[in-house]
């Protein structure tokens, strides 16, 4: 018997797939398409935080409106749908670390931690408990059958590619996961599929901000989570001059130029956040450029062990294309990346994601450290 579209040698009706449904158009289309193909679909939506609480916001993912939208898609397509309360897990695994990282002067990416610690760990285990053959999500990334094992590749539509946010996916998780939208050429195709199935979310706008951050105001959320966090201190030039006072390091990010409140003279950029001394260090733009990037918490998806330096491509920001680099692993499990061309604005707490030399296959990545 030939393999079905999810890669199993049995009929779709005999293949159970749990679909992680956020209530948005992407995961809704995944669930609808698989249901239409005859798969035994089970939709699961996670309630990640109390949408009646102060953190909630209109249009946020996984809040009340989204649970309602996911449920309607399940009713339209005729498959069961469950809502799981993951509020405590989300706070412990994602929100608390987000706040603490900002207080330490880092620039965290909670969406990666949510995929790593909530969706691809806890929810994936739930899918196995439901006897599902696999779990499918609406992420724009491709899973391909390699010669040795399943491989992770960038989405066909590079503008929507989410590989940067999924670098910490392990091989074991990848074996179980499916990403049915990764081959699509544009978001318009996804919306056309939603309209074809008559889904109410066909025209629903994409969520923009981090789900628990109202209007993109990180500092406001951190002050709510960690009262007294915004302790003022000195803005110090690279040469040691004190130029003014800041409102608390949580209000600043590496590479920031506007809103420093020090006016006049040469344009100055935030170079470093010294949370312990409550100092924001600033300097000229050229001082932002760096070629050496230290990494911790490596995840490696290559075919051969990472036991020697190798040339590959890396992304140090989600919005930048992959660039040539050399990855140098250390004996203690950390690594250093040497960029062939210096990049600006590399910040602790961001991810550095590895790609093969044609920039297609995702080879893992690590967290940028000081």
């Amino acid at each position: 018997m030939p393999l079905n579209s999810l890669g199993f040698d049995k009929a779709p009706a005999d293949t159970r797939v749990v679909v992680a449904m956020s209530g948005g158009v992407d995961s809704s289309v995944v669930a609808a398409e698989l249901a239409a193909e005859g798969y035994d679909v089970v939709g699961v939506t996670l309630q990640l935080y109390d949408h009646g609480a102060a953190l909630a916001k209109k249009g946020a993912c996984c809040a009340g409106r989204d649970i309602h939208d996911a449920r309607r898609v399940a009713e339209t397509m005729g498959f069961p749908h469950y809502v799981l309360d993951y509020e405590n897990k989300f706070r412990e695994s994602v929100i608390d670390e987000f706040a603490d990282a900002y207080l330490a002067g880092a620039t965290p990416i909670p969406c990666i931690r949510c995929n790593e610690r909530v969706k691809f760990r806890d929810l994936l285990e739930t899918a196995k408990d439901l006897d599902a053959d696999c779990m499918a999500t609406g992420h724009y990334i491709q899973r391909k059958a390699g010669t040795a094992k399943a491989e992770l590749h960038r989405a066909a539509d590079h503008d929507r590619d989410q590989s940067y946010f999924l670098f910490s996916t392990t091989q074991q998780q990848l074996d179980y996961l499916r990403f049915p939208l990764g081959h699509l050429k544009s978001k318009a195709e996804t919306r056309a599929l939603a309209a074809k199935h008559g889904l109410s979310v066909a025209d629903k706008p994409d969520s923009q901000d981090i789900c628990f951050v109202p209007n993109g105001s990180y500092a406001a959320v951190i002050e709510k989570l960690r009262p007294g966090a915004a302790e003022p201190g000195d803005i110090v030039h690279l040469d040691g001059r004190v130029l003014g006072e800041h409102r608390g390091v949580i209000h600043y990010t590496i590479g920031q130029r506007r809103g420093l409140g020090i006016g006049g003279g040469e344009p100055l950029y935030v170079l470093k956040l010294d949370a312990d001394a409550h100092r924001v260090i600033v300097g000229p733009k050229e001082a932002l450029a760096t070629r050496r990037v230290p990494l911790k918490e490596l995840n490696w998806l290559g075919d051969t062990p990472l036991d020697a330096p190798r040339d590959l491509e890396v992304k140090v920001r989600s919005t930048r294309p992959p660039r040539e680099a050399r990855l140098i692993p250390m004996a203690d499990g950390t690594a250093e990346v040497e960029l062939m061309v210096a990049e600006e604005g590399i910040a602790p707490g961001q991810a550095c994601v590895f790609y093969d030399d044609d920039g297609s296959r995702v080879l893992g990545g690590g967290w940028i450290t000081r």
Side-chain angles (χ1 to χ4, degrees), residues 178-255:
R178 301 294 186 274
F179 307 107
L181 301 184
H183 67 286
L184 298 182
K185 301 289 191 293
S186 72
K187 182 71 177 224
E189 283 187 54
T190 308
R191 293 198 183 278
L193 288 170
K196 179 187 88 173
H197 292 298
L199 304 184
S200 57
V201 295
D203 298 319
K204 186 172 178 176
D206 291 343
S207 56
Q208 297 299 330
D209 300 322
I210 293 168
C211 68
F212 59 90
V213 178
N215 314 317
S217 176
Y218 304 124
V221 168
I222 291 155
E223 287 193 67
K224 202 165 273 167
L225 293 167
R226 302 283 187 274
E231 197 171 319
D234 291 334
I235 297 178
V236 184
H237 193 280
L238 200 54
D239 63 16
R241 286 177 292 144
V242 175
L243 303 179
E245 188 177 75
H246 64 74
R247 301 174 293 139
V249 294
I250 62 172
H251 292 281
Y252 302 86
T253 53
I254 306 286

Side-chain angles (χ1 to χ4, degrees), residues 136-329:
T137 78
H139 289 107
Y140 286 88
I141 193 166
Q142 299 186 80
R143 177 191 185 276
K144 296 184 177 182
T147 48
K149 56 188 179 180
E151 298 176 357
L152 204 56
H153 287 256
R154 291 171 82 194
D157 178 1
H158 282 187
D159 290 336
R160 300 208 71 83
D161 172 58
Q162 289 175 293
S163 59
Y164 184 85
F165 300 98
L166 296 167
F167 84 86
S168 61
T169 306
T170 65
Q171 189 64 48
Q172 199 176 6
Q173 292 165 344
L174 183 57
D175 292 341
Y176 192 70
L177 288 162
R178 301 294 186 274
F179 307 107
L181 301 184
H183 67 286
L184 298 182
K185 301 289 191 293
S186 72
K187 182 71 177 224
E189 283 187 54
T190 308
R191 293 198 183 278
L193 288 170
K196 179 187 88 173
H197 292 298
L199 304 184
S200 57
V201 295
D203 298 319
K204 186 172 178 176
D206 291 343
S207 56
Q208 297 299 330
D209 300 322
I210 293 168
C211 68
F212 59 90
V213 178
N215 314 317
S217 176
Y218 304 124
V221 168
I222 291 155
E223 287 193 67
K224 202 165 273 167
L225 293 167
R226 302 283 187 274
E231 197 171 319
D234 291 334
I235 297 178
V236 184
H237 193 280
L238 200 54
D239 63 16
R241 286 177 292 144
V242 175
L243 303 179
E245 188 177 75
H246 64 74
R247 301 174 293 139
V249 294
I250 62 172
H251 292 281
Y252 302 86
T253 53
I254 306 286
Q256 178 178 334
R257 180 186 164 195
R258 300 185 187 282
L260 299 181
I262 45 181
E266 57 168 341
L268 295 173
Y269 296 78
V270 175
L271 304 179
K272 189 181 166 196
L273 299 170
D274 184 346
D276 294 336
H278 304 293
R279 296 195 313 168
V280 172
I281 290 83
V282 298
K285 190 172 192 209
E286 53 269 23
L288 273 175
T290 183
R291 281 189 55 197
R292 301 186 90 83
V293 186
L295 303 180
K296 63 178 183 178
E297 291 182 57
L298 294 194
N299 181 48
W300 181 248
L301 293 170
D303 292 332
T304 55
L306 183 60
D307 51 13
R310 63 169 67 213
D311 296 326
L312 35 64
E313 297 199 344
V314 303
K315 267 184 164 195
V316 290
R317 279 276 176 87
S318 63
T319 50
R320 295 179 187 173
R323 308 257 198 239
E324 288 183 10
R326 170 154 266 232
L327 173 62
I328 304 160

